[in-house]
Amino acid sequence: DGGITQSPKYLFRKEGQNVTLSCEQNLNHDAMYWYRQDPGQGLRLIYYSQIVNDFQKGDIAEGYSVSREKKESFPLTVTSAQKNPTAFYLCASSERQGDTEAFFGQGTRLTVV
Amino acid sequence: EDKVVQSPLSLVVHEGDTVTLNCSYEVTNFRSLLWYKQEKKAPTFLFMLTSSGIEKKSGRLSSILDKKELSSILNITATQTGDSAIYLCAVCRDDKIIFGKGTRLHILP
């Protein structure tokens, strides 16, 4: 089945550790996105990528990093510089920028302990 | 700065009522407007709107875009408890998708 897979579903991190969230899609989509969702905040854009080996910062990129070495994969690293990383993280992809809807993965809930 | 504003942020109604959710935007390089329903985890796609005045309909849900007013509405008629969810509005630019904060809708039986 085609879709977007995020892993893990739940992740616990100690303060000061870096963690990487996985996002893989087999929809052959060019564009991929990472959003963070906090209660009452909607979805806030962290990073986005339109093509392989290219990505741009979103509205809340500080403390995060990404890579786009393959079309199918867009991993997000939450670094120790992110002061409040506990949140629900959603990855999405779309066929083309602006002309088609985005499809979402099931999300990763990150908790700092 | 681009922004997408949804109202109300929260709404509680009784089963059978009709609701109207609002979305207004100030976004450069507008391409389309999207509506999603989020129940637990992944938002699910409802509508994509690109042209003003053309209503999109799916069962009890409908939506329309007004490019002159930079806004869109999502209507749900004869609401059911299964309609309880967060409804997200998003605007596509030519490079990224910007979401509003969502409307949390709760339907009382």
Side-chain angles (χ1 to χ4, degrees), chain A residues 37-44, chain B residues 9 86 88 100-104:
Chain A
Q37 188 173 31
D38 297 281
Q41 290 293 324
L43 273 60
R44 292 185 290 169
Chain B
L9 292 180
I86 297 173
L88 295 163
K101 292 188 176 184
T103 293
R104 185 178 292 273

Side-chain angles (χ1 to χ4, degrees), chain A residues 78-94:
Chain A
V78 184
T79 75
S80 56
Q82 170 48 236
K83 298 304 178 190
N84 186 21
T86 295
F88 186 55
Y89 291 87
L90 282 162
C91 178
S93 71
S94 65

Side-chain angles (χ1 to χ4, degrees), chain A residues 14-25:
Chain A
K14 291 183 180 179
E15 284 197 31
Q17 282 183 337
N18 292 355
V19 290
T20 297
L21 282 57
S22 171
C23 179
E24 304 275 333
Q25 54 99 359

Side-chain angles (χ1 to χ4, degrees), chain B residues 11 17 25 33 35 44 49 89 92 104-105:
Chain B
L11 186 58
D17 289 349
Y25 60 90
L33 187 143
W35 282 98
T44 53
L49 304 163
C89 172
C92 297
R104 185 178 292 273
L105 176 64

Side-chain angles (χ1 to χ4, degrees), chain A residues 9-10 33 35 37 40-43 45 48 50 59 88 90 94 97-106, chain B residues 31-32 34 36 38 40-43 45 48 86 88 92-102 104:
Chain A
K9 289 184 180 178
Y10 300 94
Y33 314 84
Y35 293 92
Q37 188 173 31
Q41 290 293 324
L43 273 60
L45 184 62
Y48 58 105
Q50 300 174 29
D59 299 318
F88 186 55
L90 282 162
S94 65
Q97 294 277 1
D99 290 334
T100 59
E101 70 271 25
F103 295 85
F104 284 86
Q106 290 298 307
Chain B
R31 296 292 291 271
S32 60
L34 308 174
Y36 287 86
Q38 185 181 27
K40 291 190 177 169
K41 294 194 174 177
F45 172 74
M48 182 168 78
I86 297 173
L88 295 163
C92 297
R93 290 176 21 150
D94 51 5
D95 60 346
K96 61 183 179 181
I97 303 174
I98 303 163
F99 280 81
K101 292 188 176 184
R104 185 178 292 273

